[in-house]
Amino acid sequence: MDCFDLENPFTSLDNQESDIISALFSSESDHMPSHNYFLSLKSNDLFVSFRQEAISLILRAQYSCNIDRYTTYLATNYMDRFVSRQEIPQGNPWVLRLLVIATISLASKMKEQHFSSSNFQREEGFIFDAPAIQRMELLILDALNWRMRSVTPLSFICFFISLFELKDPPLRQALKDRATNIIFQACNEIKLLEFKPSIIAVSALLMASHELFPLQFPSFETSILSCRHVNKENQLKCFNAMQEMVANETSDSIIETVSSSSTTTPMSVLDCHCERSSSSMAAIAVPEKREQRKRQKLNGFCSESNRVKISQIQPCG
């Protein structure tokens, strides 16, 4: 299997470029969390806490295991899609941890990245055996209908940039890099989960172009909005939500920089936000003493006492 490229999820297809673009737009909804998931996050703090802690744990794996951010972004996509489609039992902190380990493992395999789940688990103070992780991987694969070549906002960046009249390669790269950073930053923003990946990509590019090339922004906007695939009303709503997100994160970054001590390790704005959010996990996880959390080995994920009742999927035969 070739290394999966999030910017070109359908590179394995032997089709014309126009066919690939059409395939991206026609299939993007299949790679989104369900709408009910978005509604639950808006109305239920337990779902919010679960998601924030999961993202925080994924980001810790990124830094402690030296995983690239594309892999952790893909893992987050798997996590959101899985949780939106399957019932997750509450009050069992190990479920969240096992889910995170399995999504990172799957994303690492797709990206051909090395991920030592045992080393990461030891650092975090819990342990699951290999069969348990594999069974959770199978649950995720089944719930996602084996659609692991995720269509994300990153998949549309190059297409929409091609609509811009920007010939200088360094300037095009600067625009792409800034838009990509905004997309990674948007990963933690619940408000943006309701929008299609293409709309998020458009909004990130317009946000980046407004920052980098304000004089050319009107022509960029006209080019984007003339695309038949772009819903203007949804694009405006997404752009406004993204603008608010960037403004809030910038403000938080300034406060964090001023209030943090000189010994604090520098982190990105999104990482700081996720770390602060993780303090609310107590709403979904049963508090445990530090000594008790050092090693929790799960040998019987499929045993009757520990079985995850996720819809009607049976982890074991």
Side-chain angles (χ1 to χ4, degrees):
M1 182 180 67
D2 295 333
C3 178
F4 174 54
D5 183 357
L6 273 83
E7 294 182 6
N8 298 285
F10 297 151
T11 50
S12 61
L13 297 180
D14 187 20
N15 291 329
Q16 297 293 325
E17 183 178 354
S18 59
D19 294 333
I20 294 176
I21 297 301
S22 297
L24 285 174
F25 282 102
S26 63
S27 64
E28 62 176 326
S29 295
D30 295 331
H31 300 264
M32 293 175 60
S34 70
H35 187 63
N36 286 339
Y37 179 59
F38 169 69
L39 296 177
S40 297
L41 286 168
K42 285 180 62 177
S43 61
N44 193 324
D45 288 342
L46 292 178
F47 281 92
V48 174
S49 297
F50 186 95
R51 184 175 190 269
Q52 288 174 338
E53 176 59 15
I55 291 177
S56 179
L57 193 56
I58 290 172
L59 290 174
R60 292 205 293 274
Q62 175 182 335
Y63 288 98
S64 65
C65 301
N66 197 28
I67 302 172
D68 70 39
R69 59 182 183 169
Y70 290 89
T71 302
T72 53
Y73 185 83
L74 184 59
T76 303
N77 173 267
Y78 293 162
M79 182 272 297
D80 276 331
R81 289 163 59 196
F82 177 77
V83 175
S84 76
R85 288 164 172 78
Q86 303 298 336
E87 181 181 354
I88 303 296
Q90 299 178 6
N92 295 309
W94 60 264
V95 175
L96 181 149
R97 296 164 185 162
L98 182 56
L99 173 60
V100 167
I101 292 294
T103 54
I104 297 174
S105 176
L106 288 169
S108 297
K109 292 172 184 175
M110 292 294 295
K111 292 292 295 173
E112 296 185 352
Q113 289 255 314
H114 174 69
F115 171 60
S116 175
S117 61
S118 57
N119 288 345
F120 175 62
Q121 291 181 83
R122 278 193 290 270
E123 291 179 7
E124 291 295 323
F126 54 85
I127 282 289
F128 301 104
D129 61 15
I133 296 172
Q134 290 168 2
R135 285 191 286 269
M136 179 58 91
E137 288 180 356
L138 288 173
L139 281 173
I140 295 170
L141 289 168
D142 188 78
L144 272 52
N145 293 318
W146 290 76
R147 292 190 178 109
M148 309 309 286
R149 302 181 71 87
S150 297
V151 176
T152 71
L154 299 171
S155 309
F156 296 91
I157 288 293
C158 290
F159 167 71
F160 284 121
I161 287 180
S162 70
L163 303 181
F164 292 178
E165 294 182 3
L166 197 62
K167 305 301 183 184
D168 192 345
L171 295 183
R172 291 170 68 93
Q173 188 61 47
L175 179 63
K176 179 182 175 182
D177 289 345
R178 178 54 184 146
T180 299
N181 285 334
I182 292 174
I183 289 171
F184 284 132
Q185 184 180 346
C187 184
N188 193 52
E189 181 53 61
I190 292 172
K191 292 180 182 179
L192 297 176
L193 287 174
E194 70 169 310
F195 300 106
K196 291 183 177 181
S198 59
I199 295 297
I200 294 175
V202 165
S203 299
L205 275 170
L206 288 178
M207 180 74 64
S209 65
H210 189 269
E211 293 177 2
L212 299 177
F213 315 113
L215 296 180
Q216 295 170 279
F217 174 77
S219 63
F220 289 165
E221 185 177 36
T222 299
S223 298
I224 285 288
L225 296 181
S226 65
C227 176
R228 63 185 179 88
H229 297 291
V230 176
N231 181 294
K232 296 179 178 61
E233 182 180 352
N234 287 340
Q235 190 279 318
L236 180 60
K237 287 174 59 181
C238 183
F239 182 81
N240 289 338
M242 192 171 285
Q243 212 170 22
E244 182 182 351
M245 175 200 73
V246 171
N248 290 339
E249 294 292 356
T250 301
S251 176
D252 287 347
S253 180
I254 294 173
I255 295 172
E256 188 74 23
T257 301
V258 172
S259 62
S260 63
S261 67
S262 59
T263 58
T264 301
T265 303
M267 300 176 71
S268 71
V269 174
L270 175 58
D271 301 335
C272 291
H273 183 75
C274 284
E275 286 297 319
R276 289 194 297 272
S277 299
S278 67
S279 62
S280 61
M281 90 174 258
I284 194 166
V286 177
E288 301 169 296
K289 293 182 180 179
R290 192 176 189 84
E291 306 83 35
Q292 294 173 330
R293 291 196 302 128
K294 286 187 177 178
R295 178 165 298 195
Q296 296 182 341
K297 186 164 186 178
L298 181 65
N299 291 313
F301 178 66
C302 290
S303 67
E304 199 59 39
S305 59
N306 287 324
R307 180 168 297 179
V308 180
K309 297 178 180 177
I310 303 175
S311 233
Q312 296 181 351
I313 299 175
Q314 296 298 323
C316 298

